[in-house]
Amino acid sequence: MKKRVWISAFDRDEVASKKVFTDLHKYGLDLNGHFWPEFDDKKGWELPTEELKTADAWVILMSPESFENAHNRFSLNLTLMQLRQLKGDGFPVFIIGINKTENVLSSTYISACEFINSAVLGVKVLAATTKVLPVIESEYRLNCHAIMGVGTWFEVGPIGDDWAGAMIALAGADIDAHGVGPSGKLPQKAILSYPYKGMKLEVDGIEFIGWGVENQLAAGESYYIRIKGIPESMLFGESPIKNENADLYRCYF
């Protein structure tokens, strides 16, 4: 069976996109793709996660100009976050067209991609799709839900031991709603135990504003927050209200 490769082009350059398709076709790969949709400020993000569910690799075409667009960077980060939850850390993602600049390296998800020259793309993709993906254990669940017309939500929760509450804090963006429920799906109704809003935390000279709850979270339960704006970074983990030694993790966008 042919290996499936999904191709995303951030620039509407049909000549460059066609060349990538032509080059990869020589390696007997099953190819499909799209031009990256522009951000709709009324509806929200449109992410290609459904298409990537059955892919064996992802190839991203992106110019430095496209990368400088904050909406492009954030929507790419969101998709990579969802993809890591679906496929694991080892899923092969290749980016051609940009170098590992300081802005690239500052992003938790984008920096983890492989940046390559188009001349070796076919060999790299073919080799990556024939490898067995490593299984990497994680201490937490981190996902996002970007739903057109509903908003963008982050989801965090435990994978092993229960959490005594949960908290998410953002730098550079606001939170306007939160909830608790089963993992993988936005809660319709939720009973929040001792919810709090507006907690200020400072890390490396950067101020974060956090929301949280004291609900006991088991492995199959998550805490959800809805964001307004594009955050620069995020702190998340078990609530520090009752446990000053609670582990907090950090994600950069």
Side-chain angles (χ1 to χ4, degrees):
M1 182 181 295
K2 290 183 178 181
K3 296 296 184 179
R4 296 190 70 253
V5 179
W6 184 261
I7 302 171
S8 295
F10 277 80
D11 299 277
R12 292 188 173 273
D13 186 336
E14 294 188 6
V15 174
S17 300
K18 185 176 181 180
K19 184 179 185 307
V20 170
F21 269 85
T22 301
D23 291 345
L24 289 178
H25 185 71
K26 300 173 184 176
Y27 292 86
L29 299 165
D30 181 6
L31 307 173
N32 212 326
H34 70 148
F35 288 113
W36 198 263
E38 294 183 2
F39 172 69
D40 188 322
D41 59 0
K42 293 183 179 180
K43 295 182 179 179
W45 314 98
E46 183 182 354
L47 307 178
T49 314
E50 284 297 318
E51 292 84 349
L52 287 164
K53 281 183 178 179
T54 56
D56 297 294
W58 186 18
V59 174
I60 299 165
L61 287 65
M62 192 177 220
S63 67
E65 293 76 19
S66 289
F67 182 78
E68 288 303 313
N69 182 304
H71 290 126
N72 284 344
R73 286 198 309 275
F74 190 56
S75 57
L76 177 55
N77 270 302
L78 293 177
T79 308
L80 290 168
M81 180 185 288
Q82 291 179 334
L83 197 57
R84 181 177 288 187
Q85 183 69 25
L86 287 168
K87 299 278 194 176
D89 291 333
F91 181 76
V93 181
F94 301 95
I95 299 181
I96 58 176
I98 61 175
N99 298 316
K100 278 200 169 184
T101 62
E102 183 176 343
N103 282 344
V104 172
L105 291 172
S106 67
S107 167
T108 298
Y109 293 102
I110 297 177
S111 63
C113 301
E114 187 170 354
F115 294 76
I116 61 173
N117 187 293
S118 59
V120 298
L121 178 63
V123 174
K124 287 279 191 177
V125 172
L126 185 63
T129 56
T130 57
K131 291 181 180 178
V132 177
L133 298 182
V135 177
I136 301 174
E137 297 291 336
S138 179
E139 299 177 7
Y140 54 81
R141 179 187 312 104
L142 174 59
N143 201 2
C144 66
H145 303 268
I147 304 172
M148 300 285 278
V150 176
T152 302
W153 297 71
F154 285 122
E155 171 192 357
V156 301
I159 289 180
D161 296 334
D162 290 5
W163 282 3
M167 185 198 71
I168 299 177
L170 301 180
D174 297 319
I175 302 170
D176 69 353
H178 63 169
V180 171
S183 62
K185 184 179 181 180
L186 294 182
Q188 298 298 315
K189 295 181 180 180
I191 298 175
L192 303 182
S193 177
Y194 298 103
Y196 54 91
K197 306 175 183 179
M199 173 185 283
K200 293 184 179 180
L201 303 93
E202 186 173 317
V203 179
D204 298 331
I206 299 173
E207 184 178 82
F208 292 80
I209 305 297
W211 286 31
V213 293
E214 293 302 300
N215 296 60
Q216 189 79 10
L217 297 183
E221 297 173 308
S222 294
Y223 174 59
Y224 298 82
I225 59 102
R226 186 172 64 187
I227 69 168
K228 291 178 64 179
I230 298 178
E232 299 168 5
S233 58
M234 174 173 67
L235 295 175
F236 61 95
E238 192 172 5
S239 175
I241 294 292
K242 295 181 180 178
N243 181 8
E244 295 181 355
N245 297 317
D247 290 327
L248 290 179
Y249 307 95
R250 190 169 181 179
C251 176
Y252 297 87
F253 301 109

